[in-house]
């Protein structure tokens, strides 16, 4: 497994956990009748903040763990990790981004549909961030699949 | 246009060039080893620039490394 694949796998786990946290929080809010705009926007902030922090920490940890594993494997004190992106990695990234945009676009459309069914704007905002997280997860899965296939 | 019909002799040329490893070739042309593996398996067609860099490493013309199978396309069209 290349460094890029490990990075994507870590991102996939992180975003799945964040999605789980988000859904758990929303379900808790609806059950305790605290599904208010203040709570939802606070949850938006927490989720986005978590996504940024976890992504940064995840990348750093992947670097460190990869270096440790490589050092043990080769017995070299200064292991070399292939952490640069070559043209194939960039193309796979672009394909992943295309998947993210497609899923996000469908998500925005479905979120807007809630107005048709006379739902409050809060539902739309909740669905927007839900589909944002789902788009990232689907993109990570698609990139992993492309890496496993070769291209 | 379905799949690219670009094949290559990278594997053969590596062995003819003092059994150059995939890692060594990857370092010489500035890509990851996984990209060399994908190319050898015919799963990835490199850019023109990378193709030229590979040909330069082996010291052969581009067409000795890569070949375009136009016949396969013709058969598919028929």
């Amino acid at each position: 497994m290349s460094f890029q694949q490990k990075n994507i796998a870590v991102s996939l786990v992180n975003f799945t956990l964040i999605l789980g946290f988000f859904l758990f929080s929303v379900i808790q809010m609806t059950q305790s009748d605290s599904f208010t705009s203040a709570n939802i926007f606070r949850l938006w902030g927490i989720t986005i903040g978590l996504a940024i922090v976890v992504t940064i920490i995840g990348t750093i940890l992947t670097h460190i763990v990869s270096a440790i594993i490589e050092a043990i494997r080769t017995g070299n004190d200064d292991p070399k990790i292939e952490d640069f992106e070559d043209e194939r990695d960039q193309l796979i990234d672009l394909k992943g981004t295309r998947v993210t945009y497609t899923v996000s676009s469908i998500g925005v459309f479905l979120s807007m549909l809630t107005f048709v069914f006379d739902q409050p704007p809060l539902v739309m905002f909740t669905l927007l961030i839900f589909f944002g997280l789902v788009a990232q997860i689907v993109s990570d899965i698609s990139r992993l699949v492309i890496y496993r296939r070769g291209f | 246009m379905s799949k690219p019909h670009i094949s290559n002799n990278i594997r053969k040329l590596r062995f003819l060039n003092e059994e150059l490893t995939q890692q060594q070739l990857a370092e010489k042309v500035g890509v990851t080893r996984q990209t060399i593996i994908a190319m050898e398996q015919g799963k990835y067609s490199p850019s023109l620039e990378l193709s030229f860099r590979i040909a330069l490493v082996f010291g052969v013309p581009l067409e000795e490394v890569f070949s375009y199978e136009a016949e396969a396309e013709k058969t598919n069209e028929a």
Side-chain angles (χ1 to χ4, degrees), chain A residues 1-5 80 82 84-89 91 148-151, chain B residues 23 26-27 30-35 38 41 43-47 50 53:
Chain A
M1 200 184 239
S2 71
F3 176 78
Q4 305 296 342
Q5 280 173 277
K80 216 164 56 178
E82 283 186 325
F84 66 96
E85 275 197 337
D86 64 12
E87 58 176 50
R88 180 171 146 268
D89 296 320
L91 282 172
R148 300 307 294 174
R149 268 197 333 221
F151 187 67
Chain B
Q23 184 65 46
E27 281 169 14
V31 295
T32 58
R33 194 174 72 90
Q34 278 69 33
T35 300
Q41 290 174 346
K43 289 175 179 169
Y44 175 65
S45 299
S47 67
L50 178 56
R53 284 207 298 264

